[in-house]
Amino acid sequence: MFDEQWTIQAVREWGDWQLEPYIHDIDERMAQIDYLLTGMMDWNYAQLANNLNTVLEDEKRLRFMVAVRAIKGGQPVQYALGHAAFYGREFQVDRRVLIPRQETEELVEWVLTDHPANIKQRVLDIGTGSGAIAVSLSAERTSWDVFGADISADALAVAKENAQLYASSVQLLQSDLFTGVTGTFDIIVANPPYISRDEQSLMDESVVMFEPDIALYADDDGLALYKKMAMDLLDFLKPGGAAYFEIGYQQGEKLVDLFSTLPHVIVTLRQDLSGHDRMIKVLREM
């Protein structure tokens, strides 16, 4: 079917043939194939389109084939590739950590927009996972002191790899929310587990099968960890400081009410680019 030497176009066609029984939508199928190839080659999509006749090295061809077979087994394409794009960088990811999403990039952007580079900040990222938030903030604001905390030692091992790639000054610590944290912070950021188990039937099957439960689900309709953090938040957030939380799209009203019970705070709800409630800022008054 193919020449002895495999071009980029040839492996795209092979991947399409392999995945067709599993991913019926051709646009989605080719999107995953091209995501793999651009990630493997460290190209953008224009470079991929301009190099379809380039012969692929055997090592990369075999890596591509292994990744395609992993996708056939249901793995998310980012796990099959071994990394995921986030805020302009490629973060190492595997089944120990959640795959970072576009909505979380918007949370990072909110923090960076609010806090200019010329003011040093002490920052805590709770539930850091792959380190996507903590590492991105540190890489964008090199004068900040950034800490990433997670309950999972496995997740922290992945975060360490990403910090070494992009922001080696990030300090990582094992902690269940605030329990292992000391000191106070100008900025606190958290993208905690916020999905109720009742919502599992609405989720993508690959997420349910492969992404870590500890990073996805929370009790009390997904609100349990926000309630725990709200109890301790003002012990760790400096006067004048701000805490930023990613939330589930149906949780906005309840979480505004929850954080508004704290004294001397201003709570702001923000929508994502799709128009869904997705982020909350809790600003502590001076």
Side-chain angles (χ1 to χ4, degrees), residues 32 35-36 71 75-85 90-94 99-101 206 211:
Q32 295 208 23
Y35 185 92
L36 276 179
I71 294 170
Q75 276 199 40
V77 63
Q78 294 90 343
Y79 287 163
L81 179 61
H83 52 88
E90 289 291 331
F91 281 78
Q92 304 298 308
V93 294
D94 57 34
I99 297 167
R101 263 86 171 172
S206 67
E211 298 200 50

Side-chain angles (χ1 to χ4, degrees), residues 10-231:
V11 297
R12 288 178 85 241
E13 292 173 6
W14 180 86
D16 182 37
W17 170 59
Q18 287 287 310
L19 293 178
E20 185 176 10
Y22 304 89
I23 304 173
H24 301 302
D25 183 275
I26 186 170
D27 291 335
E28 173 62 21
R29 199 162 63 240
M30 296 311 298
Q32 295 208 23
I33 289 168
D34 288 349
Y35 185 92
L36 276 179
L37 286 168
T38 54
M40 285 173 44
M41 304 300 293
D42 195 23
W43 287 348
N44 59 37
Y45 287 98
Q47 288 173 303
L48 178 65
N50 291 330
N51 284 277
L52 295 178
N53 293 322
T54 298
V55 174
L56 200 62
E57 301 169 11
D58 286 345
E59 181 272 329
K60 285 191 167 67
R61 174 175 60 83
L62 291 172
R63 183 182 169 199
F64 175 81
M65 290 178 167
V66 169
V68 166
R69 292 189 175 107
I71 294 170
K72 286 168 63 174
Q75 276 199 40
V77 63
Q78 294 90 343
Y79 287 163
L81 179 61
H83 52 88
F86 185 84
Y87 213 80
R89 298 174 181 86
E90 289 291 331
F91 281 78
Q92 304 298 308
V93 294
D94 57 34
R95 294 184 65 177
R96 293 173 289 178
V97 297
L98 199 70
I99 297 167
R101 263 86 171 172
Q102 177 183 337
E103 294 87 351
T104 310
E105 290 185 325
E106 295 177 44
L107 186 69
V108 168
E109 183 65 21
W110 194 4
V111 175
L112 293 173
T113 301
D114 279 356
H115 302 278
N118 61 332
I119 300 176
K120 188 171 183 177
Q121 307 282 359
R122 192 168 191 259
V123 183
L124 173 64
D125 173 28
I126 300 174
T128 197
S130 66
I133 293 175
V135 170
S136 295
L137 291 176
S138 183
E140 296 293 325
R141 299 285 188 264
T142 54
S143 68
W144 289 6
D145 294 326
V146 180
F147 297 78
D150 204 288
I151 192 173
S152 167
D154 286 340
L156 288 170
V158 179
K160 183 177 180 180
E161 294 177 16
N162 287 314
Q164 289 171 341
L165 284 172
Y166 303 118
S168 59
S169 64
V170 171
Q171 300 176 62
L172 300 169
L173 60 147
Q174 190 165 8
S175 176
D176 182 0
L177 302 181
F178 290 112
T179 58
V181 175
T182 58
T184 56
F185 299 86
D186 303 289
I187 300 169
I188 295 173
V189 191
N191 177 21
Y194 55 69
I195 300 172
S196 169
R197 288 280 184 181
D198 295 340
E199 299 177 75
Q200 197 173 75
S201 62
L202 306 175
M203 297 165 62
D204 189 286
E205 186 177 353
S206 67
V207 175
V208 175
M209 288 176 59
F210 289 95
E211 298 200 50
D213 284 8
I214 195 173
L216 292 171
Y217 304 109
D219 294 335
D220 195 1
D221 294 326
L223 301 175
L225 298 182
Y226 297 106
K227 291 181 177 180
K228 288 183 179 179
M229 285 188 285
M231 291 174 59

Side-chain angles (χ1 to χ4, degrees), residues 246-263:
E246 184 172 324
I247 66 172
Y249 72 97
Q250 295 178 311
Q251 297 172 333
E253 185 177 336
K254 291 179 179 178
L255 289 177
V256 168
D257 290 344
L258 170 67
F259 287 109
S260 294
T261 63
L262 299 177

